[in-house]
């Protein structure tokens, strides 16, 4: 039987902290709840948490400072759960060592899925570490070309072959924009024509819809005007 994972939840708003703890407990996790960063750090000194869900805007020690202190001694996965949705806040969070960033208000199913996905990635012998596996991954989106499987935050994506190939192309580009013409030629195996841009656009729209069904808090496939598309 798999070992129950121990999750720490820290948010100064008790109602939110308790709700998150309840959701995770219903998902089969053991949960410790904290309402101040200092209390979390004190507990982390003698408890081995498998993952931390951490608010940013807390009095006294904020989440950024708490994350910085945790990273001095631990590589525990950290997910920020916060109302701060500016890009600069996300950049700071990731630079401090956070593994994921969820903006409030959040979808309960999405949060639990992100926790599960992050735990899988940090587990020894997971898919990312299998020799020979063609795993492409960025921002919670993963494509396993060997297993012909695509997921978002660990949730399966039911993609058509063309959608799967488009997503794989965008992941291989590692954040660089891919021209619509290049996507068409790579995925359809034909020379681009007058209709190819529209064909790609329709498939991108369907792909975005399927991604948004799991996580609508952000746009994963971005349009780069005059160029094409990228996994933002």
């Amino acid at each position: 039987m798999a070992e129950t994972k121990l999750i720490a939840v820290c948010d100064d708003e008790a109602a939110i902290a308790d709700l998150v703890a309840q959701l995770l407990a219903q998902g089969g996790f053991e949960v410790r709840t904290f309402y101040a960063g200092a209390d979390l750090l004190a507990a982390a000194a003698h408890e081995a948490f498998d993952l931390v869900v951490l608010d940013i805007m807390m009095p006294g020690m904020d989440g950024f400072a708490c994350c910085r202190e945790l990273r001095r001694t631990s590589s525990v996965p950290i997910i920020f759960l916060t109302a701060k949705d500016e890009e600069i806040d996300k950049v700071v969070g990731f630079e401090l060592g956070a593994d994921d960033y969820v903006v409030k208000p959040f979808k309960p199913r999405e949060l639990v899925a992100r926790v599960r996905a992050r735990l899988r990635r940090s587990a020894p012998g997971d898919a990312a570490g299998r020799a020979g596996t063609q795993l492409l991954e960025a921002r919670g989106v993963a494509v396993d070309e060997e297993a012909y499987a695509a997921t978002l935050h660990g949730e399966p994506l039911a993609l058509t072959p063309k959608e799967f190939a488009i997503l794989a192309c965008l992941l291989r580009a590692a954040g660089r924009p891919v021209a619509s013409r290049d996507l068409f030629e790579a995925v359809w195996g034909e020379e681009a024509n007058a209709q190819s841009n529209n064909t790609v656009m329709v498939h991108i729209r369907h792909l975005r819809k399927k991604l948004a069904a799991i996580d609508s808090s952000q746009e994963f496939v971005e349009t780069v005007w005059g160029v094409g598309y990228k996994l933002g």
Side-chain angles (χ1 to χ4, degrees), residues 36-51:
D39 293 339
L40 168 61
L41 291 177
H46 57 81
E47 282 195 270
F49 295 113
D50 294 295
L51 184 141

Side-chain angles (χ1 to χ4, degrees), residues 56-149:
I56 292 177
M57 294 186 290
M58 296 187 292
M61 174 182 288
D62 68 13
F64 286 151
C66 187
C67 178
R68 186 183 296 111
E69 289 303 313
L70 282 170
R71 280 290 171 261
R72 292 183 190 278
T73 58
S74 174
S75 59
V76 61
I78 297 172
I79 298 178
F80 276 127
L81 179 63
T82 176
K84 293 175 74 68
D85 61 354
E86 295 295 326
E87 183 176 2
I88 184 61
D89 296 313
K90 296 179 183 180
V91 170
V92 171
F94 286 123
E95 287 183 345
L96 287 173
D99 297 274
D100 205 349
Y101 196 107
V102 179
V103 176
K104 300 173 185 174
F106 61 92
K107 294 181 178 179
R109 181 179 171 218
E110 174 199 336
L111 177 62
V112 175
R114 288 198 186 206
V115 167
R116 292 191 192 282
R118 185 53 55 186
L119 287 169
R120 277 197 297 272
R121 290 187 201 105
S122 62
D126 69 351
R130 295 199 308 265
T133 298
Q134 298 299 310
L135 186 73
L136 304 167
E137 185 175 9
R139 295 184 61 210
V141 180
V143 165
D144 188 332
E145 294 184 292
E146 185 177 281
Y148 201 79

